[in-house]
């Protein structure tokens, strides 16, 4: 009897097992945006994984080449729709670098504040979604509530929650609304409370740790070779942050440090993002304290629209307005590679102008693109279920990756 | 800032580096012979003083209409140059230029490499053996520009579907062209007609499907 049972057990072990190919996405709740994964499974282990992207390809670069320099701006919102302000700032700074102008000091502070708000929103969304897909619905709700609080402020500032299109060549579209800074100062503690709540729910959560620690690890050398930037690179322990390595705007006047991880796994990427949210809040408060009065956009009407009062009352104003609207900003011929720190890493813009009102070539170096290309490397050899937190932690944004 | 990288590059490859330049806003650019691209990249990556361990970006410029647009009145990208411009001998015969943006995390400097390609059957040696990120970047460049990278492990389209004809970011690819994989249904856009961009096919409001139902013919057109 006992022998027979043992035989049956070993026979079961020897059953021939075949590798199985399964298909996730492009329309799948865990595949943010529209990414298709073709995975070869051995049991539950991912043996081989191929990514199929491009379902969201909209021809961003082609559209940009057929628009004026300012008309490209709304397209940049749609690249990373979770932190559009950072894209706006990155693009406009590239154009300004090509022209060779600098925006006024106040505008620089406003850009930093807006950008850091966007960064917090981006990280909240990323971590919230990550928690949600691991079964922690509450943490997701806290994250989204905090994001909505900030988006209220963004709405007051720009008039839109996501499609902000708010920066302008030489500055920003409008000054801070009356009393906005005070409102923001009241909002930030509420956001901090929700963020800390989320942090408490997740960081020491047994299930969350088990699902994330040691999953999707990558070494420093490999991460650099794959072109990792942003939180994913810093999770491996390399302290490369464009804001620190090549300070732009007023980041060199703010007091902050770059948080880094040690192992480069999913849990470290999570921790780095949580810490960055705290730092962003700190930076916003410092900016509000330091911010000087003054212009929020340059008074050079070759690049910036004159105020309406001048358009309607003076011939120079009317002419400048007409030329800018009809012909577009005249950017001198040349080319430039400009880079800022987006929410997910180095957001690079390669612009070519041939001296007319339209860009000859616009190319965006989306941080997510290079990071996503490493996803098979991060996941192969792990369980299929580990794909979900790893994919969440690199925070792939379909808009920028698939252009 | 990283003058040193250009100097070292020139000293090491006197024949293969055709020109170096530091642009007014600080970008360092080196134009190199396309045959030596892998060798040069290998040197830049492994030289301890330069240490370009990261390939930030790789892209391509199509210079087909660069001059004609600049001198041909209103710039209409993706349209053919007007005849009087086309007849003039073009200044730069080179059409495709591959752009590499390299970055060194330890030295905090950048350099941009440029390699001009042949007009017919543009192709270049792949650098995917040096930087892993080049794999996808080169695929994207191939997908949108049709430049082949020799020695690439998987030279296939990345964004577009395999049945797609032509390369959309080339300047002679019309901006309004559509080639859907699944046939588009006959449902005209209320305002623009088919195709992206303003103007479209200019279907009168009353002839659109929505218009026929909702719009009084007497009121419009």
């Amino acid at each position: 009897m006992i022998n027979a049972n043992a035989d049956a057990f070993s026979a079961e072990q020897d059953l021939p097992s075949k590798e199985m190919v399964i298909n996730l996405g492009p329309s799948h709740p865990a595949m943010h945006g529209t990414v298709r994964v073709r995975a070869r499974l051995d049991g539950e282990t991912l043996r081989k994984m191929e990514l199929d992207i491009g379902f969201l390809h909209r021809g961003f670069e082609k559209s940009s080449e057929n628009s004026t320099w300012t008309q490209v701006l709304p397209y940049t919102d749609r690249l990373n729709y979770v932190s559009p302000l950072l894209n706006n700032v990155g693009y406009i700074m590239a154009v300004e670098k090509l022209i060779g102008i600098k925006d006024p000091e106040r505008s620089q502070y406003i850009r930093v504040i807006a950008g850091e708000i966007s960064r917090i929103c981006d990280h909240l969304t990323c971590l919230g979604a990550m928690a949600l897909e691991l079964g922690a619905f509450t943490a997701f709700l806290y994250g989204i509530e905090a994001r909505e609080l900030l988006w209220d402020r963004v709405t007051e500032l720009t008039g839109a929650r996501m499609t902000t299109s708010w920066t302008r060549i030489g500055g920003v579209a409008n000054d801070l609304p009356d009393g906005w800074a005070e409102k923001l100062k009241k909002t930030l503690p509420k956001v901090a409370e929700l963020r800390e709540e989320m942090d408490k729910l997740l960081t020491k959560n047994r299930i969350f740790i088990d699902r994330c620690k040691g999953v999707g690890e990558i070494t420093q050398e490999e991460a650099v070779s794959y072109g990792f930037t942003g939180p994913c690179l810093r999770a491996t322990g390399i302290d490369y942050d464009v804001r620190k390595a090549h300070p732009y705007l007023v980041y060199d006047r703010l007091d902050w440090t770059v948080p880094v991880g040690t192992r480069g796994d999913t849990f470290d990427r999570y921790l780095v993002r949580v810490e960055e949210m705290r730092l962003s809040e700190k930076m916003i408060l410092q900016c509000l304290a330091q911010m000087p009065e003054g212009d929020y956009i340059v008074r050079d009407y070759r690049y910036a629209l004159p105020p309406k009062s001048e358009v309607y009352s003076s011939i120079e104003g009317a002419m400048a307005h007409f030329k800018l609207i009809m012909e577009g900003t005249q950017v001198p011929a040349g080319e430039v590679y400009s880079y800022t720190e987006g929410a997910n890493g180095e957001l690079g813009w390669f612009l070519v102008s041939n001296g007319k009102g339209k860009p000859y070539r616009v190319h965006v170096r989306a941080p997510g693109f290079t990071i996503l290309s490493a996803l098979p490397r991060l996941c192969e050899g792990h369980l299929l279920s580990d794909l979900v937190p790893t994919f969440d932690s690199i925070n792939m944004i379909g808009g920028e990756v698939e252009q | 800032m990283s003058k040193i990288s250009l100097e070292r590059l020139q000293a090491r490859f006197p024949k293969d580096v055709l020109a170096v330049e530091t642009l007014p806003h600080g970008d360092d650019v080196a134009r190199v012979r396309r045959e030596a691209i892998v060798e040069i990249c290998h040197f830049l990556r492994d030289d301890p003083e330069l240490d370009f361990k990261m390939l930030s970006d790789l892209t391509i410029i199509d210079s087909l209409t660069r001059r004609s647009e600049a001198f041909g009145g209103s710039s209409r990208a993706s349209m053919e140059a007007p005849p009087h411009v086309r007849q003039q001998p073009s200044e730069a015969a080179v059409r495709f230029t591959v752009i590499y943006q390299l970055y060194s995390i330890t030295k905090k400097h950048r350099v941009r490499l440029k390699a001009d390609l042949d007009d017919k059957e543009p192709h270049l040696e792949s650098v995917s053996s040096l930087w892993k990120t080049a794999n996808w970047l080169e695929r994207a460049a191939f997908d949108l520009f049709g430049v082949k990278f020799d020695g690439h492990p998987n030279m296939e389209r990345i964004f577009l579907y395999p049945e797609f004809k032509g390369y959309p970011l080339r300047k002679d690819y019309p901006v309004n062209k559509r080639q859907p994989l699944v046939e588009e249904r006959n449902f005209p856009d209320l305002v623009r007609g088919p195709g992206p961009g303003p103007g479209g096919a200019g279907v009168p409001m009353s002839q659109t499907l929505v218009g026929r139902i909702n719009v009084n013919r007497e009121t419009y057109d």
Side-chain angles (χ1 to χ4, degrees):
Chain A
M1 193 69 183
I2 291 163
N3 279 344
N5 261 348
D7 280 353
F9 184 67
S10 69
E12 196 178 287
Q13 290 242 304
D14 292 341
L15 274 179
S17 66
K18 259 202 316 196
E19 287 193 343
M20 187 168 62
V21 177
I22 66 155
N23 197 43
L24 280 108
S27 186
H28 185 279
M31 298 284 115
H32 298 224
T34 47
V35 175
R36 177 173 160 235
V37 171
R38 208 163 46 240
R40 190 162 351 122
L41 295 179
D42 177 10
E44 269 194 80
T45 314
L46 271 168
R47 284 280 168 251
K48 182 110 180 74
M49 179 177 156
E50 278 170 48
L51 284 167
D52 185 4
I53 66 168
F55 295 93
L56 215 59
H57 183 70
R58 316 179 292 293
F60 160 73
E61 293 178 6
K62 189 79 172 176
S63 310
S64 302
E65 287 165 16
N66 290 278
S67 318
T68 66
W69 290 95
T70 321
Q71 281 169 350
V72 177
L73 189 61
Y75 292 131
T76 65
D77 299 336
R78 278 97 176 147
L79 284 177
N80 184 343
Y81 27 74
V82 193
S83 52
L85 284 163
L86 284 166
N87 287 11
N88 291 168
V89 171
Y91 169 71
I92 287 294
M93 281 185 60
V95 180
E96 284 172 358
K97 189 173 168 187
L98 191 51
I99 297 175
I101 56 170
K102 245 189 154 170
D103 53 332
E105 208 180 347
R106 185 172 173 85
S107 145
Q108 298 193 7
Y109 276 104
I110 298 177
R111 283 180 185 186
V112 171
I113 293 172
E116 294 307 318
I117 290 178
S118 253
R119 194 183 310 279
I120 299 179
C121 295
D122 195 293
H123 288 348
L124 281 171
T125 315
C126 168
L127 301 184
M130 190 172 161
L132 171 71
E133 277 154 26
L134 296 181
F137 198 76
T138 318
F140 170 74
L141 291 179
Y142 282 154
I144 296 303
E145 191 188 343
R147 188 185 74 175
E148 287 301 324
L149 289 174
L150 286 172
W151 272 359
D152 284 348
R153 297 291 88 78
V154 172
T155 315
E156 288 159 7
L157 188 63
T158 68
R161 295 162 82 233
M162 294 150 105
T163 51
T164 51
S165 308
W166 183 62
T167 51
R168 297 286 181 273
I169 297 169
V172 292
N174 51 279
D175 206 347
L176 302 182
D178 283 342
W180 187 83
E182 280 64 44
K183 267 183 166 175
L184 181 64
K185 276 181 196 164
K186 278 185 199 144
T187 308
L188 285 174
K190 283 188 209 157
V191 174
E193 200 185 323
L194 288 160
R195 183 193 65 219
E196 297 306 322
E197 201 80 36
M198 205 172 139
D199 176 44
K200 272 184 219 158
L201 281 171
L202 296 176
T203 307
K204 289 180 184 166
N205 184 321
R206 186 74 252 163
I207 302 170
F208 189 75
I209 294 174
D210 285 348
R211 292 294 302 274
C212 295
K213 221 165 202 170
V215 171
E217 270 181 290
I218 192 161
T219 61
Q220 294 189 352
E221 291 74 32
E222 248 185 315
V224 173
S225 176
Y226 269 115
F228 273 40
T229 46
C232 294
L233 179 68
R234 293 194 280 277
T236 65
I238 297 177
D239 64 342
Y240 171 57
D241 188 319
V242 183
R243 294 173 289 171
K244 205 68 164 179
H246 309 276
Y248 54 96
L249 296 176
V250 292
Y251 282 110
D252 50 345
R253 298 183 208 168
L254 307 177
D255 172 33
W256 63 291
T257 46
V258 182
V260 291
T262 49
R263 297 178 61 179
D265 59 358
T266 301
F267 195 63
D268 277 0
R269 288 192 277 273
Y270 160 80
L271 288 178
V272 167
R273 280 201 160 89
V274 172
E275 199 52 42
E276 275 188 20
M277 286 196 279
R278 295 195 181 112
L279 287 173
S280 293
E281 186 193 328
K282 230 172 106 181
M283 280 186 229
I284 294 171
L285 291 174
Q286 288 177 40
C287 281
L288 286 175
Q290 291 179 14
M291 196 161 63
E293 292 294 319
D295 288 340
Y296 58 88
I297 191 160
V298 289
R299 285 174 190 269
D300 189 338
Y301 299 146
R302 286 173 300 169
Y303 306 116
L305 281 176
K308 282 286 175 289
S309 58
E310 274 187 52
V311 176
Y312 294 131
S313 63
S314 76
I315 184 68
E316 289 80 10
M319 273 164 63
H321 185 91
F322 180 81
K323 296 277 274 185
L324 278 176
I325 298 294
M326 299 309 289
E327 292 173 5
T329 310
Q330 302 295 306
V331 174
E335 57 177 51
V336 73
Y337 180 74
S338 164
Y339 41 93
T340 53
E341 181 77 14
N344 294 316
E346 181 185 311
L347 180 73
W349 293 90
F350 180 64
L351 306 178
V352 181
S353 168
N354 59 357
K356 300 302 284 185
K358 290 179 179 179
Y360 186 74
R361 176 103 177 85
V362 173
H363 174 73
V364 59
R365 182 241 189 248
F369 185 74
T370 47
I371 300 176
L372 185 67
S373 74
L375 188 64
R377 152 71 191 77
L378 294 175
C379 291
E380 276 168 14
H382 288 285
L383 297 179
L384 176 64
S385 53
D386 291 338
L387 168 65
V388 173
T390 311
F391 189 63
D392 286 328
S393 70
I394 64 170
N395 198 14
M396 172 251 163
I397 305 282
E400 61 174 21
V401 170
E402 308 180 1
Q403 303 184 349
Chain B
M1 190 169 74
S2 71
K3 264 262 151 55
I4 172 176
S5 55
L6 294 181
E7 279 165 15
R8 276 187 73 87
L9 194 60
Q10 253 183 334
R12 175 75 174 71
F13 299 97
K15 278 187 197 148
D16 294 328
V17 177
L18 304 174
V20 296
E21 191 186 359
T22 301
L23 298 178
H25 42 67
D27 289 9
D28 292 322
V29 188
R31 190 176 285 277
V32 301
R33 270 179 61 234
R34 65 173 176 275
E35 288 84 3
I37 188 73
V38 174
E39 214 180 321
I40 288 172
C41 284
H42 203 278
F43 168 74
L44 287 172
R45 189 192 69 167
D46 289 346
D47 187 81
E49 272 184 58
L50 302 181
D51 201 33
F52 286 105
K53 286 281 188 283
M54 186 187 280
L55 173 67
S56 279
D57 194 18
L58 185 157
T59 188
I60 292 177
I61 306 179
D62 176 4
S63 307
L64 181 67
T65 57
R66 194 164 182 175
R67 240 180 113 255
S68 57
E69 266 182 38
F71 297 105
S74 69
S75 58
R76 299 182 70 193
S78 307
M79 297 293 187
E80 234 181 312
H84 68 277
V85 178
R86 240 183 304 160
Q87 280 158 12
Q88 290 168 5
S90 109
E91 197 178 321
V94 176
R95 180 159 176 200
F96 296 106
T97 310
V98 185
I99 312 279
Y100 299 80
Q101 315 276 2
L102 308 187
Y103 181 63
S104 160
I105 288 178
T106 48
K107 308 284 177 204
K108 292 186 182 174
H109 57 201
R110 278 167 206 273
V111 72
R112 180 184 316 151
L113 296 183
K114 286 179 158 189
D116 293 333
L117 301 186
D118 253 347
D119 213 1
K120 296 170 196 91
E121 278 194 43
H123 67 100
L124 188 74
E125 202 66 35
S126 165
V127 294
S128 53
S129 55
L130 300 175
W131 294 286
K132 285 178 177 164
T133 178
N135 187 329
W136 272 31
L137 289 170
E138 285 175 352
R139 273 179 73 187
F142 164 71
D143 192 0
L144 304 173
F145 284 96
V147 169
K148 282 227 163 64
F149 290 88
D150 307 329
H152 188 283
N154 181 22
M155 193 84 277
E156 279 171 28
R157 287 191 182 274
I158 188 164
F159 295 130
L160 302 170
Y161 38 91
E163 294 87 348
F164 195 90
K165 289 199 177 58
Y167 303 100
L169 278 187
R170 287 189 177 186
K171 288 285 177 181
D172 51 7
Y173 189 93
V175 67
N176 282 333
K177 190 174 161 74
R178 290 171 84 79
Q179 37 175 318
L181 194 56
V182 180
E183 201 184 328
E184 287 180 339
R185 279 182 294 175
N186 185 19
F187 188 87
D189 189 304
L190 182 61
V191 183
R192 300 186 313 187
V203 181
M205 176 89 95
S206 62
Q207 286 172 23
T208 62
L209 196 60
V210 181
R212 272 203 297 278
I213 300 164
N214 296 323
V215 180
N216 183 358
R217 186 172 272 268
E218 265 71 66
T219 322
Y220 289 90
D221 300 341

